[in-house]
Amino acid sequence: DDTQHEVIIELAPINLMPHSVHTFLSQVSEGYWTRGTPAFVMNPGHVLQACPHPCLETKAMGGSYPGDPYVDMRHAGLDSVSFQEYHPEYPHEKYTIGFHSGPEFYINLMNNTLDHGPKQAILKEALGDDEEVDETALEPDPCFGKIIKGFEVIDRISEEGITRGDLPYESKETKEDGDDEVELSDALLIQPVRIVSMSIILENDDDSSTSEDVRDEL
């Protein structure tokens, strides 16, 4: 199916999630989500993950791309967020957008607040005050936007996209990396959904901040 569909993402106000919004807008404006083969590539069930070019060619995705696929983004300082910011007005609810670290982003397919949001209270209650907890495990993922148009597109990808986990065991392939075999994730979509282009739409509103939407044409 070569039909293109539109998804519009409304980003969080810049004063709430400044670092994540700036990082994502910079990725878009520099063309990392338009040139090459950016795509939705993974569906583990709770999120739909997208990655920029050339992730489809990497060994983790079944390709043969050598080395670091995001070296250009790394040189530009756009391969990841520098810190995990979070604001309670943007929890990880269904159809919201998050970074784990980057440069990939994901769309929450369900309410993932317990898994991707602040975990301090949850772990404290579960483990008690006497248990030591890795502080990095407590950091929430940034949630920096939400889908405002194209819900049916996201639903169709998540519901109709076949993953490696849906295949019979004997149909699954591994990729050889020299003398080693690379085990591919069961969450990989057999047919990734290409992101054809992504552009920034600016809309002035009545607030002091500017509402900035990012349009994906799939």
Side-chain angles (χ1 to χ4, degrees):
D1 185 358
D2 294 329
T3 305
Q4 295 185 19
H5 304 277
E6 182 180 77
V7 174
I8 297 182
I9 304 169
E10 180 183 80
L11 298 184
I14 195 72
N15 60 308
L16 297 186
M17 299 292 293
H19 178 48
S20 300
V21 169
H22 179 267
T23 299
F24 187 62
L25 288 176
S26 297
Q27 291 177 350
V28 175
S29 64
E30 292 297 323
Y32 290 112
W33 289 102
T34 297
R35 63 175 174 266
T37 55
F40 287 102
V41 295
M42 299 185 73
N43 178 13
H46 66 297
V47 298
L48 188 64
Q49 182 176 316
C51 67
H53 180 79
C55 79
L56 285 182
E57 283 74 49
T58 62
K59 294 175 181 177
M61 298 294 174
S64 57
Y65 188 91
D68 181 359
Y70 300 132
V71 62
D72 290 342
M73 298 185 80
R74 197 178 312 283
H75 288 159
L78 298 175
D79 63 306
S80 65
V81 289
S82 301
F83 57 93
Q84 302 290 93
E85 66 181 346
Y86 186 81
H87 197 282
E89 291 187 22
Y90 270 77
H92 286 273
E93 297 176 341
K94 188 174 182 178
Y95 298 123
T96 57
I97 313 300
F99 276 136
H100 178 61
S101 59
E104 302 92 351
F105 71 86
Y106 60 81
I107 298 175
N108 289 296
L109 300 178
M110 57 186 290
N111 190 329
N112 288 314
T113 304
L114 291 179
D115 290 329
H116 295 173
K119 303 176 180 63
Q120 290 90 337
I122 299 171
L123 290 178
K124 184 176 181 181
E125 180 179 351
L127 301 177
D129 295 330
D130 296 332
E131 293 285 341
E132 292 188 6
V133 178
D134 181 1
E135 290 296 323
T136 59
L138 300 177
E139 295 181 346
D141 288 351
C143 184
F144 60 93
K146 58 186 177 182
I147 303 291
I148 61 171
K149 180 181 178 182
F151 302 101
E152 71 285 352
V153 179
I154 303 305
D155 290 343
R156 183 178 177 186
I157 297 173
S158 64
E159 294 169 5
E160 298 183 10
I162 299 173
T163 67
R164 289 187 75 255
D166 297 324
L167 300 177
Y169 179 79
E170 58 272 14
S171 299
K172 297 179 182 180
E173 297 180 357
T174 57
K175 296 293 291 185
E176 293 187 1
D177 182 12
D179 296 330
D180 301 322
E181 288 187 343
V182 178
E183 185 66 31
L184 303 179
S185 171
D186 279 351
L188 284 176
L189 290 171
I190 300 301
Q191 292 185 320
V193 178
R194 171 79 188 282
I195 298 175
V196 176
S197 66
M198 192 179 290
S199 58
I200 300 171
I201 306 169
L202 302 178
E203 293 181 353
N204 293 323
D205 56 23
D206 295 331
D207 298 330
S208 57
S209 61
T210 299
S211 174
E212 299 180 340
D213 301 345
V214 177
R215 173 173 297 175
D216 305 353
E217 297 179 355
L218 307 179

